[in-house]
Amino acid sequence: MNALHIARKDLQIFFKDRGSVMLLFLLPLLFIVIFSGALSAIGSDSDEDTRILLPVVDLDGGEAAQTLLEGLDAAGGIRVELYAQAEARTLLDERKLARVLTIPAGFTAKLADSQQVTLRLINHPDADAEGTEAVRLIVEGVAQDMSLESQIFASLRQMADMQANAPEEFQVFSMERTMAQARSQFERSRTHPLVAVVQTVPGQEGEREEMPDPIQLAVSAFTVLFVFLTSQTAARSVYDEKKIGSFRRLLAAPMSKASLLAGKMIPNFIMGLIQTAVIFAFGIIGMRLLGLTPMTLGSAPLAVVLVAMVVALCSSGFGILIAAIAHTENQISGLSSLLLWVMGILGGCFVPLFILENFLGPLPKIVPHYWANRAFNDLLVRGLGLADVIMEMAVLLAFTALFFALGVWRFDFD
Amino acid sequence: MPAILEVDNLVKKYGDFEAVKGVSFSVEEGEVFGLLGPNGAGKTTAISMLTGVLPPTSGTARIGGYDILTDMDEVKKLNGLVPQDLALYPTLSARANLSFFGRIYGLKGKDLKERVEDVLRIVALTERADEVIEKYSGGMKRRINIAAGLVHHPKLLFLDEPTVGVDPQSRNHIFESVLRLNRERGMSIVYTSHYMEEVELLCSRVAIVDEGEIIALDTIKNLIALLGGGVIHVGLQQVDNSLLAELSALPAVREALLAQQTVAPPLAEGEAPEAKESEPISTSSVVKIVAEQSQQAVVNVIGFLNDRNITLTSLEILEPNLESVFLHLTGKKLRE
């Protein structure tokens, strides 16, 4: 009970200090706006079209030519740009283009008549071999599909013609209906191929995580960073009590030392939760008001709340540890800055975890920030549920127990 | 009167340093007991052990019959502590501070409100109770500091240097409050100070503390009686043992002692230091004369010195008070 009285008093004192309140709640929001903007920019850079340019001279201009162009574009890996024949020739000669594909005149008509047509792909001798090979494979693939489609349609048309001459009772399918069904089958085979082929480059065989939504990423990362930074508040509160002498008064009162320390942890815990709520509310509402993409709470909001509680608890435990090992205001500032910011950097609060892990290996796992970020990422970015973050929560609780035990052990009650 | 506090050979060590060296004393119920000593004498450390702030290295104490080693939870309920620091939360109001300290002693609801109002009346700050502490003057802060130690109505109140940095008006107010608490409510009080005037005014018995030890403990009257009829410091060019004996034998003089040796006589070549120690004494010394009756002793001493043609370099008649007692016992001033 005394712990609650101390907590209530500390919260009263904290909320009277408007500067600290602003710092604690507005600073993370500012960070989120700035960093989500920056990450969005990085994200848009990564969206830059890196496909191989395929200049095309369309001498046909018909429906089949258009289908071919769309097929090439949709095949992935190459980006189609149309050129006039003369311009393409000049640019190719000047080595400003690596290759040019020419669709001959009469391409559509010949295909309709099931006549053979030839697409001409001219490669500059200096064009990179890999690109040339990739383009050749893609063009051949799309052309084969078109050939197949054209041949099947021709067959169907023949069948329909034959059926037209048959007695009425045998005319089960109209030609239009048969053709539409065939088209639908082709469409489906494009979007849902029975066999999918993925091209990989040596060294990138591993699963590459998608770049998460920058807003989600920034919100969860800065929530973790700032909730842990709140642990300074517990340390400062203990220091202030000692400085003004009220700590002696508390020690002389009928309460256990555990109650005293719990009383110092509870405000930290509550502030951590309020901070999380404010940051998330900003991520959902504020981002929308700012015209940015709002964050979502994923598919398991209850799990998000539980993770937020565990993170706030871990931060409170860390506060007691700082209070135990730092004895002056400068030590608290220095130690907090050093440890909390380094832990934040290491734990993925500034650089996404999948990038960090690429060059730091398992090192980030030694800080609680890593597990907190992982739990939030799993819930907010990947849309996973409570069962998927049990391990992260257990690790955070273990960190909490460790921090608290070390704090109590090293705490100077004298 | 039964004892509310019995201290038995209490010791506090920090490594090799012994801050409190086995102090023993008792305080009767309803008594205002003084711990007088200079800063660093060990008064606060002793109080810290008695209030549960620090664990003793050895020894123990009983408060209200409860042992501080085994029943500290019960002891804490009986104790009230007013620390030397202004142990208050400056951004909270006086009322909020007092309510908080009341709550941690288990007070709540109407009872808590009444106790807060009561202590505000005692320190005469009811009118300004809702102002934040940081807007108070130093004296007002001291008064609320005392109120915070009273809010749970302790049986034994420890006041640790409660008037440090206080203006005379607030100091008088604090004295009045302490006396009223003792006389009207029968509260037992342990009052530590290095101001002998405060202790003389408030306390019935005093323990004089120096370097972690109690060097004298008695009523103020008896402590001052240690000085006899007063103490006279006589400065002389040269003093020897025969002179001290002759001065001691004068009428109205109880005792003559060498108080201060400012210049040691040089050792002769090859002379052993221990041989020198037995020599009569030195030049430019102060003789402390403990008088039966100070005025008569002064007349006799001056007459004796004139008869012997001995030059008097200084003369100081010490007022018979606790400061003089401390000086007499330790050779130091209280505020050194």
Side-chain angles (χ1 to χ4, degrees), chain B residues 9-320:
Chain B
N9 204 23
L10 208 56
V11 173
K12 183 68 188 178
K13 284 183 182 175
Y14 295 100
D16 292 336
F17 174 68
E18 212 171 358
V20 175
K21 299 170 181 171
V23 299
S24 298
F25 62 93
S26 64
V27 177
E28 292 176 1
E29 275 189 25
E31 182 181 13
V32 181
F33 183 86
L35 283 174
L36 179 69
N39 290 331
K43 306 184 298 291
T44 300
T45 308
I47 283 186
S48 296
M49 288 188 279
L50 297 174
T51 52
V53 175
L54 289 177
T57 306
S58 64
T60 188
R62 280 167 297 283
I63 296 177
Y66 296 108
D67 195 295
I68 63 165
L69 298 181
T70 54
D71 303 310
M72 188 43 100
D73 285 347
E74 293 302 320
V75 167
K76 284 180 173 181
K77 289 176 193 167
L78 300 177
N79 283 349
L81 172 65
V82 178
Q84 187 174 343
D85 299 312
L86 287 168
L88 301 167
Y89 304 105
T91 55
L92 300 184
S93 70
R95 199 184 300 279
N97 268 280
L98 297 175
S99 297
F100 168 68
F101 288 116
R103 278 190 204 102
I104 62 171
Y105 279 88
L107 299 174
K108 56 187 173 185
K110 193 181 164 196
D111 199 19
L112 174 65
K113 276 190 176 179
E114 284 176 359
R115 298 281 186 96
V116 168
E117 292 310 315
D118 182 41
V119 293
L120 282 168
R121 266 195 304 276
I122 290 172
V123 296
L125 282 170
T126 307
E127 302 297 317
R128 303 187 62 177
D130 292 316
E131 285 181 31
V132 291
I133 294 291
E134 63 191 355
K135 289 188 178 170
Y136 277 19
S137 68
M140 287 161 70
K141 286 177 188 170
R142 282 277 164 207
R143 280 146 66 186
I144 291 295
N145 199 34
I146 292 173
L150 294 173
V151 72
H152 60 290
H153 286 188
K155 285 191 78 175
L156 176 61
L157 180 66
F158 291 91
L159 286 162
D160 191 6
E161 305 266 10
T163 59
V164 171
V166 169
D167 59 277
Q169 193 186 347
S170 289
R171 182 174 290 198
N172 287 337
H173 208 288
I174 289 170
F175 294 161
E176 283 171 25
S177 303
V178 171
L179 290 172
R180 217 165 45 239
L181 284 168
N182 176 246
R183 287 171 191 164
E184 295 174 9
R185 305 193 179 204
M187 193 177 285
S188 309
I189 295 168
V190 175
Y191 190 101
T192 83
S193 181
H194 62 278
Y195 296 116
M196 63 100 191
E197 305 90 348
E198 294 181 3
V199 174
E200 282 180 354
L201 177 72
L202 301 170
C203 304
S204 48
R205 287 192 309 141
V206 177
I208 296 179
V209 187
D210 188 42
E211 295 181 358
E213 288 178 295
I214 292 180
I215 54 173
L217 191 164
D218 214 325
T219 61
I220 292 169
K221 190 180 166 187
N222 287 346
L223 286 172
I224 291 174
L226 289 173
L227 301 176
V231 170
I232 306 158
H233 283 177
V234 179
L236 299 171
Q237 289 287 345
Q238 281 194 314
V239 180
D240 57 25
N241 285 338
S242 64
L243 180 64
L244 289 175
E246 284 180 286
L247 285 169
S248 295
L250 288 174
V253 172
R254 186 191 289 177
E255 193 179 16
L257 305 158
L258 187 69
Q260 189 182 355
Q261 181 177 318
T262 54
V263 181
L267 292 173
E269 199 174 336
E271 188 180 19
E274 56 272 21
K276 202 70 190 173
E277 277 176 12
S278 62
E279 281 290 310
I281 302 170
S282 71
T283 58
S284 189
S285 298
V286 172
V287 175
K288 181 168 76 175
I289 293 170
V290 182
E292 301 281 358
Q293 207 286 327
S294 59
Q295 286 178 342
Q296 189 58 52
V298 169
V299 172
N300 293 344
V301 166
I302 291 172
F304 170 81
L305 296 174
N306 282 338
D307 291 346
R308 300 294 171 90
N309 212 17
I310 297 172
T311 308
L312 188 71
T313 57
S314 66
L315 180 72
E316 186 185 13
I317 301 170
L318 300 181
E319 206 180 321

Side-chain angles (χ1 to χ4, degrees), chain A residues 307-323:
Chain A
V307 168
M309 290 174 76
V310 173
V311 172
L313 195 66
C314 193
S315 158
S316 310
F318 195 71
I320 295 300
L321 180 61
I322 295 176

Side-chain angles (χ1 to χ4, degrees), chain A residues 2 5-6 8-10 12-13 16 241-255 413-414, chain B residues 44 48 51-55 76 81-83 85-89 91-92 100-101 103-105 145 148-149:
Chain A
N2 272 332
H5 295 321
I6 293 173
R8 179 179 159 182
K9 179 266 299 173
D10 278 0
Q12 263 183 302
I13 292 172
K16 276 178 178 283
E241 294 267 15
K242 286 185 172 180
K243 190 173 78 174
I244 66 172
S246 52
F247 199 74
R248 288 188 70 213
R249 204 161 225 161
L250 297 179
L251 287 175
M255 74 168 84
F413 285 100
D414 294 351
Chain B
T44 300
S48 296
T51 52
V53 175
L54 289 177
K76 284 180 173 181
L81 172 65
V82 178
D85 299 312
L86 287 168
L88 301 167
Y89 304 105
T91 55
L92 300 184
F100 168 68
F101 288 116
R103 278 190 204 102
I104 62 171
Y105 279 88
N145 199 34

Side-chain angles (χ1 to χ4, degrees), chain A residues 403-414:
Chain A
F403 293 152
F404 191 73
L406 285 174
V408 171
W409 176 49
R410 298 293 302 164
F411 201 91
D412 181 12
F413 285 100
D414 294 351

Side-chain angles (χ1 to χ4, degrees), chain A residues 228 314 318 321 339 342-348 353 356-357 360-372 374 395-396 398-400 402-403 406:
Chain A
F228 272 99
C314 193
F318 195 71
L321 180 61
L339 286 180
V342 168
M343 286 162 86
I345 292 165
L346 208 55
L353 288 178
L356 268 183
E357 285 178 306
L360 289 180
L363 187 64
K365 290 179 181 173
I366 63 167
V367 295
H369 297 59
Y370 168 86
W371 299 96
R374 217 168 94 155
V395 174
L396 285 169
F399 268 113
T400 308
L402 178 71
F403 293 152
L406 285 174

